[in-house]
Amino acid sequence: MSVAINGTNGITYNDGSLQPSAIGKNLIINGNMAIAQRATSVTGITSAGYYTCDRWNIANTTAGTWTQTQDTDVPTGQGFATSIKMDCTTADASLAVGDQLGLETRLEGLNCQQLEYGTANAKSTTLSFWVKSNKTGVYTFEYFQPDSSRSISQTYTISVANTWEKKTITIDGDTSGAINNDNGLGLLLKWWLAAGTNWTSGTLATSWATLSNPNRVSSSNVNLADSTSNYINITGVQLEANTTATPFENLQYGQQLALCQRYYWRWTDEHAVSNATFYSTVAVYGVLSFNTTMRAAPTFTVSAAAHFNIFNSAAATAASAFSASRITENSARLNFTASSARTQGQAAWVEIITGAGKYIESDAEL
Amino acid sequence: MYKKLNDLIENQEADVILRLSDNASIPKDEANTDYQAYLEWVAEGNTPEEADET
C-alpha cells in the first residue's frame, strides 16, 4: 500500500483514507464519551459537578434543571457509539446576570506542555467536535488558562435543528501565558450553553487576553435553558496541536478507561475491595493499590459503610463506619469499623455487598 | 462542614479531613480540589469539628 505523508493532516493511503498523524494527538480524554463510571443518566441537575461521562463537568449557576445522559444518539458513519446529552427539564427563560450553564473538560498542566504556551513557539490548536441540538443559533466556546488567568473565546453556529453537525475551531497559541508543568489545571475548555450579562456585556475576547468575565461569552449566545424542549448532544471532541482537524483518534476502551482513572474511579456492588486485618477487635484496616497513578491524592467516598461486608472465620460482618487515610496518588489505607467484634489480629477481606447504588469511589478531578 | 479524624495506628490526628455532608475522606494534598475547597472554607473563618476521643 502506498502512502502520501501530509505534514498537516496526517497520512493519506492509496485508497484515499486519511489516518491520524500522531498517536496521542488528542489532548481530550474521553472525547467520544465512551467512559461513564459514575452513571449513565442523572436527573434533576441544578449545580456544578461531574455526573455521567468521565472528564466532562457541568458548570451550572441557576440556569435551569437538567438531565444528563450518556446517549446512544451519534452522527452516522463516524465510528462513535455514544454522546453526552444535556436535556432541559426546568426552564430558565430569563437569566439573572450571573446565571450560567456550560459543559467543560479540564486538561492537566502536565499534558499541555507540548503547546509551548508562554513562548514564541506557542502552537496553534484545532478543536473539532460533533454537535446536535433543537436550538439553532450562536454558541460560544472558550479556552481558559488559569495559571496566567488568560482566556480566548470563539463562536460557532448550529445551523440546522436536530441534525448532527461537525464544528472546527482553530486558535493561535498563547505566546504570553505559560502553563505550569504540574498536575494542576492547565486548560479549561468550556462550551457555553447559557450566560447572563455578567459574562456577555463586554466585547468577546477573540484573541488571548487577561480573563475578563464580561468578555467571555458572545452577546448573541443562545440561552439553551429557555425551554424544556431544549437539548444538546456532543461527541467526537478532539483538540490537537495542528491548524486543521484530522480524523478522530480512537483509543482502545481500556486505554481510555485508564486515562480516566487517573482522575476518578468507582467500584460497585460485589466488588472485592481489599485484604484486611483486625487491628483491634472492631478496627479493620486494609491497603488498596490503585489501578493507575492518580493525578493527586484522591478523595475517598463510599455509598454507605453498611454497604461493605468484612469476611473472616467463615462469616461476614457488616461495616458500621468507613474512612480512608495515608492516601497518596498510588494507594490508600481503608479503615472500616466492624459492627460485631472479632479476634484482634485475624485476617479478613472486604467486599461491596450486592445491589445497585453501592460503591467506593476515588476522586482526583481537576 | 468538616471534622478532624484521629489515626489509631499513629495515635495522632489523621492526614485526612472528613467532609460531613457525604463522609468523604479528603487527603491534605493541596493539589486535591476538595482540600482546596476546605482550605478556602477555613480561610473564611470556619473551624472544623474536633476529632472524637479515642
Side-chain angles (χ1 to χ4, degrees):
Chain A
M1 173 179 286
S2 64
V3 297
I5 306 298
N6 178 329
T8 299
N9 296 323
I11 300 171
T12 303
Y13 288 80
N14 61 356
D15 65 356
S17 64
L18 178 67
Q19 300 300 316
S21 58
I23 296 171
K25 66 176 181 178
N26 191 358
L27 290 167
I28 305 295
I29 297 172
N30 202 26
N32 59 358
M33 316 298 172
I35 310 296
Q37 296 183 84
R38 294 171 178 82
T40 55
S41 184
V42 176
T43 62
I45 296 171
T46 58
S47 59
Y50 292 85
Y51 293 97
T52 63
C53 297
D54 280 52
R55 309 295 295 121
W56 291 90
N57 173 59
I58 293 175
N60 184 3
T61 305
T62 60
T65 304
W66 298 83
T67 293
Q68 188 183 79
T69 308
Q70 184 196 38
D71 200 17
T72 54
D73 187 357
V74 293
T76 301
Q78 300 302 317
F80 303 122
T82 46
S83 63
I84 190 168
K85 181 177 184 179
M86 294 284 292
D87 188 11
C88 185
T89 56
T90 302
D92 182 355
S94 182
L95 295 171
V97 295
D99 287 356
Q100 63 157 300
L101 178 72
L103 191 61
E104 301 176 344
T105 190
R106 301 177 180 207
L107 279 57
E108 187 175 344
L110 291 169
N111 293 328
C112 296
Q113 297 308 303
Q114 63 178 287
L115 301 179
E116 299 188 79
Y117 278 18
T119 77
N121 299 317
K123 292 185 172 64
S124 296
T125 54
T126 294
L127 176 82
S128 54
F129 59 97
W130 288 84
V131 62
K132 175 182 175 181
S133 175
N134 66 301
K135 193 168 183 66
T136 59
V138 173
Y139 290 75
T140 304
F141 173 80
E142 179 193 37
Y143 293 76
F144 169 52
Q145 197 271 80
D147 288 329
S148 302
S149 191
R150 291 168 64 79
S151 73
I152 185 171
S153 296
Q154 300 284 334
T155 60
Y156 62 95
T157 301
I158 294 182
S159 304
V160 184
N162 306 312
T163 303
W164 281 103
E165 299 175 40
K166 185 176 184 180
K167 304 298 176 187
T168 300
I169 297 170
T170 299
I171 66 160
D172 294 333
D174 184 7
T175 57
S176 297
I179 297 174
N180 295 341
N181 187 23
D182 62 21
N183 62 351
L185 176 58
L187 271 179
L188 188 154
L189 281 59
K190 185 168 184 174
W191 285 254
W192 285 86
L193 305 176
T197 54
N198 279 359
W199 320 99
T200 65
S201 60
T203 301
L204 189 67
T206 55
S207 298
W208 281 102
T210 299
L211 183 72
S212 174
N213 283 336
N215 300 342
R216 296 177 69 178
V217 183
S218 166
S219 58
S220 301
N221 204 89
V222 303
N223 174 11
L224 193 69
D226 68 2
S227 168
T228 56
S229 299
N230 292 349
Y231 72 89
I232 191 168
N233 286 65
I234 294 177
T235 194
V237 184
Q238 179 159 277
L239 179 69
E240 52 195 308
N242 200 345
T243 53
T244 58
T246 63
F248 185 83
E249 179 184 35
N250 284 294
L251 299 180
Q252 297 279 322
Y253 182 89
Q255 290 176 299
Q256 189 152 259
L257 177 61
L259 292 175
C260 291
Q261 289 180 332
R262 177 170 173 78
Y263 304 92
Y264 176 89
W265 56 259
R266 174 183 287 206
W267 292 350
T268 55
D269 64 316
E270 295 192 56
H271 206 118
V273 173
S274 173
N275 290 318
T277 300
F278 274 82
Y279 186 77
S280 70
T281 56
V282 293
V284 183
Y285 297 157
V287 173
L288 176 63
S289 296
F290 308 154
N291 289 340
T292 188
T293 298
M294 300 192 73
R295 181 190 66 83
T299 297
F300 266 86
T301 312
V302 298
S303 49
H307 292 167
F308 291 77
N309 269 338
I310 301 160
F311 291 86
N312 86 322
S313 300
T317 182
S320 61
F322 166 82
S323 67
S325 58
R326 294 295 191 215
I327 304 171
T328 72
E329 297 86 346
N330 294 301
S331 64
R333 185 209 303 161
L334 306 184
N335 313 306
F336 292 93
T337 302
S339 56
S340 60
R342 300 293 171 86
T343 303
Q344 184 179 18
Q346 282 189 338
W349 76 94
V350 180
E351 293 183 4
I352 307 173
I353 65 176
T354 303
K358 299 173 176 62
Y359 64 84
I360 182 170
E361 67 179 9
S362 178
D363 189 335
E365 289 285 4
L366 285 160
Chain B
M1 297 288 287
Y2 299 88
K3 184 176 182 177
K4 297 178 181 177
L5 290 175
N6 281 327
D7 186 324
L8 296 180
I9 294 177
E10 305 295 335
N11 196 28
Q12 62 185 19
E13 184 180 325
D15 55 2
V16 296
I17 290 289
L18 184 68
R19 184 171 59 202
L20 294 173
S21 61
D22 59 357
N23 287 320
S25 299
I26 300 172
K28 296 175 181 175
D29 177 352
E30 294 192 3
N32 180 299
T33 55
D34 293 317
Y35 188 59
Q36 292 168 5
Y38 165 75
L39 293 177
E40 289 177 11
W41 180 80
V42 171
E44 291 168 358
N46 299 297
T47 305
E49 295 180 18
E50 290 299 320
D52 295 332
E53 295 293 328
T54 57

